[in-house]
Amino acid sequence: MKLIHQLSKETGIPIPTLRFYEKSGLISGRRKTGVSTNNYQFYEQGAIDKLNFVQMAKAVGFTLNEIKEVVDLWYKKEITQKAQFEVLDKRLLQIDEKIAELNAMKKQIKICKENIENRNS
């Protein structure tokens, strides 16, 4: 079991972000039973696993709300493999749509450049 500063050091996530994740329900710590002299929260390996998942999901563009919807189910093995693929496929579709939007914007910029060039010729 680790304290929050150890969790931060091991995951590379700043303590304020960890506290935010805790308030958001993404991770949770617990106090040692029988200790009433401090409010220290201790985190188990499962918290590190969830944080690694959160970082991976954020890196591929999932929002925290989307991550929150699936993280517990994913780690409790309560989400089927099919449902896991559906979540990922949905994200792939969103990425493809964003790529199409960006390509359309790129095309418009090229047209604008050509129009400017033709005006000045």
Side-chain angles (χ1 to χ4, degrees):
M1 295 190 19
K2 300 177 186 318
L3 291 167
I4 198 162
H5 75 278
Q6 295 166 313
L7 192 63
S8 174
K9 189 173 184 177
E10 188 166 328
T11 61
I13 300 172
I15 290 173
T17 303
L18 293 173
R19 295 224 187 272
F20 175 77
Y21 288 166
E22 190 167 30
K23 286 179 186 172
S24 300
L26 288 170
I27 61 168
S28 61
R30 59 185 171 140
R31 294 184 187 156
K32 283 191 176 179
T33 53
V35 177
S36 60
T37 57
N38 62 49
N39 288 326
Y40 293 161
Q41 295 284 331
F42 291 86
Y43 303 87
E44 296 182 359
Q45 182 62 40
I48 294 170
D49 295 339
K50 283 183 181 182
L51 289 168
N52 289 333
F53 175 81
V54 168
Q55 288 180 301
M56 179 275 308
K58 282 180 61 182
V60 297
F62 283 96
T63 66
L64 281 181
N65 285 335
E66 291 169 331
I67 294 167
K68 189 171 178 358
E69 286 179 28
V70 298
V71 72
D72 285 329
L73 297 174
W74 201 292
Y75 276 93
K76 291 178 184 174
K77 308 293 187 223
E78 292 177 6
I79 186 171
T80 65
Q81 184 181 39
K82 181 181 177 193
Q84 289 174 350
F85 281 124
E86 288 172 0
V87 167
L88 296 172
D89 287 340
K90 180 181 174 186
R91 188 64 192 148
L92 285 173
L93 182 61
Q94 291 170 336
I95 290 169
D96 287 340
E97 290 170 354
K98 187 66 173 177
I99 289 170
E101 288 175 22
L102 291 172
N103 282 330
M105 288 172 62
K106 183 177 180 180
K107 184 177 180 180
Q108 287 300 318
I109 290 171
K110 286 181 179 181
I111 290 170
C112 286
K113 285 178 64 178
E114 288 173 8
N115 289 337
I116 293 168
E117 189 174 272
N118 290 337
R119 270 192 308 203
N120 294 330
S121 297

